[in-house]
Amino acid sequence: MRDRMLTADVPIGPFEGTKIVVYSAKGKNARLHVRRECGQLRTANVTTTEVPLSADVVDRFCSGCAGWGPRVRPTSGLGIFMGALSSAGLLHQLQAYAEPDEDVYWTQDEVRAAAELLRSERDPVDEDDDGRWEAHREADELQEQVLSLWRHAAGSLHRAQAVMAHFPWLTDWARPKLLAKERYLETLRAQVTLFVEPAGLVVAAAAAALGTPPLPTDDHAFAVLGNRSQIFTGLSALWRRWQYAAEDGWEGPDARAFRRYDLVEGIRPNKKGCAEALEGAARLIQSWEDEARAAAATTDPTPTVWVTARLPEDTEESSRGDADGVLDGLDRWTLGVMVSWTVAADWSRRTFTLKVPALVADRLLASSSALVCESGAEAAPTEAVYQAQPGSVVPGVFDDTAVFDRQPVTLAHLRALRNFSYVADQLYIVFSMSGGAEVLPLGVIEKRVAQGWLGVIVAGASDLPGSVINPWMKEVHPAPEADEGSYLGHADAGQDDRSRADLGLAAGAQAAVQWVHGERAKEHNLRLLAMARGVPDLRSLATGRSGVLSVALWEGLLTPGPLDLTPFRPPSTDRRRGGSGLPPGVMGPVQIYATNADPAFEGKGHSPFCQHTRDRGLAYSDDLLSVSALLARDDWDWCSKCGGYSARRLTGTQLSYYRAAHQLHDIAGQLDDERSHRAPVEPDALLKRLEELAAWEPGGHESGSWEGRWRWREVVSDLRRRAERKRLDTVL
């Protein structure tokens, strides 16, 4: 439908003049296409052009590309604007729920007749009476259809007005269509009110305030329930169910008479005493109804109290969503109050001005209300006015201008990003005077801004240059499944330099795409991985174990299991636990993450990937220590299944040193005369390998000094002397 496409009459405001890339056939008046693969671009000679966005350019879009809008980065200002317009965005919402649907329509008389039928027959209808039962079913079905349509129309109006709040230059253009939606919503509201009994809402408010009454546990009518304790349990449950039904609905008292059957649930109807229990339950329910009506009668039922009501923040849905969204989570009583006594509504801000009876106002103002309410003035807001404000999305907030001109981000900007960009939930490079340059998830940025943080978004993971990401994608291939030994970091020490590669950065990139399908998903994971690798503390990326980073990405950042640190432990008479006393060196700062790294704290430490953790991945509450701290004590209480922790992926230098240390430790074991079942030793091969290990230097420090260098060479020299003695013993 053309009305749901981007057309030349749609104002593009401050984004006019933004450079976009278009494709076309040769010719001055040829149609423009935003996608090279557009099906309407039927030519082999395609011209690629960068043009400034304008109404004339939009007017030349083909019908297919007009539905997409310009193809730009989804986290740029223009990308967010296009996301707010396209698909199920504003262009669609302005056409939806603006007039009755010819396929789903009912007359006012039909609605009134259904409401009167439901009001006159509150007790369940006998299914044997086919005519009455079918009429009751159709009336009840029509009530639900009218209510559902009103909820959907309200959600659509909210989503449309929410877009206007972020892009106010659309106001004048969209106002006629918004007025049509508001008129249709008011028509639906009036139809819903036919099913709502205002007096029932007042009685429901009174019922909600009732305390638990005395229960007649000695009444012989309830003997079928059992002993006195069982009677008390049954009557208490009946009271709770009745009060919940009374306070949650909008029907009158007669609608709850059928609750008497709850008391004898599970009892045969023909059992002796069942009929008496039903009669007693009916009398009891009637007494509660009378008490609620009496409490309601002591107050004035006339709506005289002004209340300003706001829908809770957590009920807001994305403007691109298909659900009711804005009214989700509200019970029928609250919906009944809204349709009956709303004087004015600002759906964009989820704010309503109500004029209600005093008893209803008391319940609304109580903390238990589903709405956030406060006593309001009689002056009700009129037509919503949209003005340019700090929360408006304009060039200069996101990655569509030079960093030098970037503007501080606000909560409104972040809300627009989350609602209108399909790749919003990712990592971002941000800058502030308090923290400098950082990499943060969107959720963390939102929390900081809410606390007064002043900073700018420099770029998102989706903005990283393809000239760097694309070659990396070609190099990364999913890793083969590792056996249990390599998973725990205990590969054979005698392997070549490729051993323990599963601990390094390259293996991390393979793990990040191992279970990912599709090139786009693979690229997305690698972009996030590239951003996360520079973060000093990976816990800052955790917004819950199932946050923005998937399990595959955590596997790309952390080792699959614990490290084998035996070479760095001091020598011991226990040959199974004793090490070679090698210095941690470049391995010392390697980060270790565990759920619990305090032996004095109850509970074992687990790896972020352990089956004993509820979700896989890091949490902000996890503990962080270093390899040096890990080696400083030996009383850790680690899980026997996972090893207790995971380490940050090793850099090339760290992995090289880790391999060299294990090779040196293996040589020490071969030269240990006290070890039983030793394999034959080849001293010449060992001396050659020791000569290579003696020259090991961390990358970039070949001619300098590094921590532990003296101890490393001392161990190598000692092993050389022992190998020389072995060679002499072999000759002799």
Side-chain angles (χ1 to χ4, degrees):
M1 186 181 296
R2 187 67 183 173
D3 286 340
R4 298 182 183 181
M5 299 176 183
L6 181 64
T7 54
D9 66 312
V10 179
I12 54 182
F15 295 106
E16 185 169 4
T18 302
K19 294 298 183 64
I20 62 171
V21 176
V22 295
Y23 308 91
S24 65
K26 292 184 177 180
K28 184 177 181 180
N29 297 319
R31 285 290 181 184
L32 301 180
H33 307 266
V34 299
R35 297 175 299 147
R36 175 63 179 83
E37 61 275 15
C38 178
Q40 298 187 34
L41 184 57
R42 304 184 184 94
T43 179
N45 300 319
V46 177
T47 301
T48 303
T49 312
E50 187 178 64
V51 298
L53 182 61
S54 65
D56 292 338
V57 170
V58 172
D59 194 43
R60 291 179 59 190
F61 284 166
C62 75
S63 59
C65 292
W68 292 83
R71 175 166 285 188
V72 292
R73 285 174 290 104
T75 55
S76 66
L78 179 57
I80 295 171
F81 179 53
M82 288 296 111
L85 293 178
S86 60
S87 187
L90 180 65
L91 299 180
H92 167 74
Q93 299 302 335
L94 290 178
Q95 308 304 318
Y97 305 104
E99 58 185 1
D101 190 333
E102 59 183 14
D103 296 328
V104 183
Y105 183 67
W106 44 79
T107 66
Q108 189 77 4
D109 292 339
E110 289 174 332
V111 175
R112 184 177 292 105
E116 292 175 354
L117 177 62
L118 292 177
R119 193 175 294 114
S120 63
E121 297 181 353
R122 290 301 186 184
D123 274 347
V125 178
D126 188 354
E127 294 188 15
D128 294 334
D129 188 345
D130 294 339
R132 287 185 60 205
W133 185 86
E134 182 64 22
H136 190 280
R137 185 194 64 78
E138 291 179 354
D140 189 66
E141 185 177 280
L142 181 57
Q143 174 185 237
E144 295 305 317
Q145 289 177 339
V146 174
L147 177 61
S148 176
L149 189 60
W150 174 72
R151 289 165 61 97
H152 279 83
S156 177
L157 180 60
H158 159 67
R159 291 191 288 270
Q161 290 187 349
V163 174
M164 312 296 294
H166 293 293
F167 311 102
W169 57 87
L170 295 169
T171 304
D172 293 339
W173 168 78
R175 181 175 285 111
K177 296 180 180 180
L178 286 175
L179 291 176
K181 291 176 67 68
E182 291 172 358
R183 287 192 296 268
Y184 182 55
L185 181 64
E186 175 58 25
T187 299
L188 293 173
R189 187 198 66 81
Q191 292 181 347
V192 175
T193 58
L194 296 176
F195 296 98
V196 181
E197 297 180 32
L201 296 174
V202 177
V203 172
L210 294 178
T212 304
L215 301 174
T217 56
D218 295 329
D219 192 334
H220 294 292
F222 304 117
V224 71
L225 300 179
N227 57 35
R228 185 173 181 176
S229 175
Q230 291 171 319
I231 293 174
F232 178 80
T233 300
L235 294 180
S236 297
L238 179 63
W239 160 257
R240 290 192 299 271
R241 290 185 180 184
W242 173 86
Q243 188 178 43
Y244 179 79
E247 68 183 26
D248 188 52
W250 60 38
E251 302 89 353
D254 295 338
R256 295 177 286 277
F258 74 93
R259 284 293 174 188
R260 63 183 181 272
Y261 293 100
D262 293 342
L263 184 63
V264 294
E265 185 177 0
I267 299 177
R268 298 194 318 273
N270 60 351
K271 185 175 181 179
K272 183 179 180 180
C274 182
E276 290 80 357
L278 279 175
E279 293 176 1
R283 292 193 301 270
L284 202 56
I285 290 176
Q286 186 60 46
S287 69
W288 297 337
E289 294 285 1
D290 293 341
E291 185 179 358
R293 278 198 293 262
T298 60
T299 63
D300 185 2
T302 306
T304 57
V305 182
W306 290 90
V307 175
T308 299
R310 294 179 179 84
L311 293 168
E313 289 291 338
D314 58 1
T315 64
E316 181 180 17
E317 291 285 331
S318 167
S319 65
R320 300 168 62 85
D322 296 324
D324 298 343
V326 70
L327 297 176
D328 281 353
L330 300 184
D331 56 44
R332 292 176 76 91
W333 182 85
T334 305
L335 292 173
V337 169
M338 292 180 64
V339 299
S340 299
W341 293 307
T342 295
V343 176
D346 183 353
W347 289 97
S348 67
R349 298 189 298 120
R350 307 180 305 282
T351 303
F352 308 89
T353 299
L354 310 176
K355 193 176 183 180
V356 299
L359 197 57
V360 174
D362 291 342
R363 181 177 174 184
L364 287 174
L365 295 173
S367 58
S368 59
S369 173
L371 299 172
V372 179
C373 299
E374 59 185 19
S375 297
E378 294 188 11
T382 55
E383 182 181 351
V385 178
Y386 307 100
Q387 299 176 350
Q389 52 185 322
S392 301
V393 178
V394 296
V397 177
F398 297 103
D399 189 23
D400 49 4
T401 60
V403 176
F404 181 81
D405 296 324
R406 205 63 51 86
Q407 299 298 312
V409 68
T410 66
L411 277 178
H413 294 145
L414 297 177
R415 190 176 300 114
L417 173 64
R418 186 177 288 281
N419 286 348
F420 307 132
S421 177
Y422 63 89
V423 295
D425 206 9
Q426 57 172 292
L427 299 180
Y428 295 87
I429 300 174
V430 301
F431 175 79
S432 67
M433 296 305 296
S434 58
E438 301 174 274
V439 174
L440 298 174
L442 181 58
V444 174
I445 301 174
E446 289 171 328
K447 291 179 181 178
R448 290 194 180 184
V449 173
Q451 297 169 358
W453 179 80
L454 183 67
V456 300
I457 292 180
V458 178
S462 59
D463 302 318
L464 296 178
S467 59
V468 176
I469 298 296
N470 294 339
W472 188 28
M473 285 186 59
K474 297 177 181 179
E475 298 173 2
V476 175
H477 302 283
E481 295 188 22
D483 58 25
E484 184 178 357
S486 62
Y487 176 84
L488 295 176
H490 297 158
D492 182 9
Q495 295 180 16
D496 59 20
D497 286 347
R498 292 173 296 176
S499 65
R500 299 180 181 84
D502 63 309
L503 304 176
L505 295 177
Q510 295 174 343
V513 300
Q514 184 168 3
W515 308 111
V516 174
H517 301 286
E519 290 300 308
R520 177 175 294 182
K522 176 180 175 181
E523 179 182 354
H524 177 70
N525 273 17
L526 290 180
R527 286 176 175 273
L528 291 175
L529 182 64
M531 293 276 274
R533 280 180 170 177
V535 176
D537 184 350
L538 295 179
R539 295 176 300 176
S540 65
L541 304 179
T543 54
R545 293 191 188 276
S546 56
V548 60
L549 298 188
S550 63
V551 174
L553 282 165
W554 286 121
E555 291 176 345
L557 293 167
L558 301 171
T559 60
L563 302 173
D564 182 2
L565 300 176
T566 305
F568 310 107
R569 302 189 185 280
S572 171
T573 54
D574 185 352
R575 294 187 180 87
R576 292 185 304 172
R577 302 185 60 184
S580 297
L582 293 174
V586 295
M587 287 292 296
V590 171
Q591 294 177 343
I592 301 295
Y593 293 92
T595 59
N596 177 25
D598 185 358
F601 191 79
E602 183 179 1
K604 292 182 178 294
H606 298 277
S607 158
F609 307 120
C610 183
Q611 60 184 356
H612 293 128
T613 57
R614 185 174 60 180
D615 298 303
R616 299 179 68 189
L618 271 184
Y620 190 76
S621 59
D622 288 345
D623 291 336
L624 169 64
L625 61 155
S626 65
V627 165
S628 295
L630 193 65
L631 292 170
R633 54 193 299 177
D634 58 1
D635 59 344
W636 306 105
D637 188 14
W638 299 131
C639 169
S640 60
K641 296 291 185 181
C642 67
Y645 66 86
S646 287
R648 194 157 183 166
R649 290 277 178 179
L650 305 184
T651 65
T653 298
Q654 291 167 342
L655 184 60
S656 173
Y657 184 66
Y658 184 80
R659 289 167 170 164
H662 274 271
Q663 292 171 12
L664 206 60
H665 179 65
D666 179 64
I667 292 173
Q670 295 182 52
L671 296 174
D672 187 356
D673 292 332
E674 299 181 4
R675 176 181 292 185
S676 58
H677 307 293
R678 288 189 299 110
V681 176
E682 299 181 7
D684 291 334
L686 294 182
L687 286 169
K688 181 179 179 181
R689 186 59 186 144
L690 285 170
E691 183 178 354
E692 296 173 355
L693 292 173
W696 187 92
E697 296 283 353
H701 297 79
E702 286 75 5
S703 59
S705 178
W706 51 277
E707 184 178 356
R709 180 181 185 184
W710 177 85
R711 175 59 184 161
W712 174 269
R713 294 195 172 183
E714 183 182 48
V715 172
V716 172
S717 297
D718 178 65
L719 293 177
R720 273 178 169 174
R721 289 191 294 269
R722 291 163 61 184
E724 288 286 357
R725 286 198 299 269
K726 288 289 185 183
R727 185 171 64 175
L728 290 176
D729 292 343
T730 303
V731 173
L732 296 177

